[in-house]
Amino acid sequence: MRPPLDKLVPELQRQARAAQERFAEVEFNPAIVRNKMSDAAKLGHRALRLRVPVHLDLRKTDAAAALQAWCKENELTFEWMSREADLPDGRRGTVWEPEISW
């Protein structure tokens, strides 16, 4: 008899969520983002889009919420912007990336 598969789904979801959080903690760290914004401003830009790998949806991570709150505290505009991308398996999908403007 095969083991039930319904117990696999919560574990896979937990693993995916943990991977998303780990990536977002680094890439959405306000200190790192601040340096990237400074570099962009020195080049004359008034906005910075944080690129996200096509397979990750980081909109509901704790790090994304913290970055959004940090932007608000610093009077920056924070928006989730979409782009279409080719996924590794040949499908086409929508990628959501934060854009911060000043």
Side-chain angles (χ1 to χ4, degrees):
M1 184 169 165
R2 293 173 41 186
L5 292 180
D6 60 344
K7 294 180 182 174
L8 180 60
V9 172
E11 177 59 20
L12 294 173
Q13 290 173 335
R14 185 194 66 72
Q15 290 174 357
R17 173 88 173 158
Q20 293 165 355
E21 288 290 347
R22 281 191 306 271
F23 182 88
E25 283 176 8
V26 174
E27 295 299 315
F28 295 170
N29 179 311
I32 292 171
V33 172
R34 182 183 181 127
N35 287 336
K36 289 179 180 182
M37 289 187 327
S38 180
D39 291 343
K42 289 175 187 174
L43 295 172
H45 298 285
R46 298 201 32 104
L48 172 72
R49 184 174 293 197
L50 299 173
R51 302 295 286 195
V52 173
V54 297
H55 65 286
L56 293 178
D57 183 355
L58 304 177
R59 292 177 290 173
K60 294 182 181 176
T61 62
D62 294 340
L67 178 61
Q68 194 165 2
W70 178 81
C71 287
K72 186 175 181 177
E73 289 171 16
N74 286 281
E75 300 178 1
L76 300 162
T77 302
F78 180 100
E79 282 186 86
W80 285 102
M81 306 295 283
S82 66
R83 68 178 170 92
E84 297 301 311
D86 293 322
L87 301 172
D89 63 3
R91 293 177 298 141
R92 191 134 178 87
T94 302
V95 180
W96 291 93
E97 298 170 320
E99 184 169 288
I100 302 167
S101 56
W102 51 90

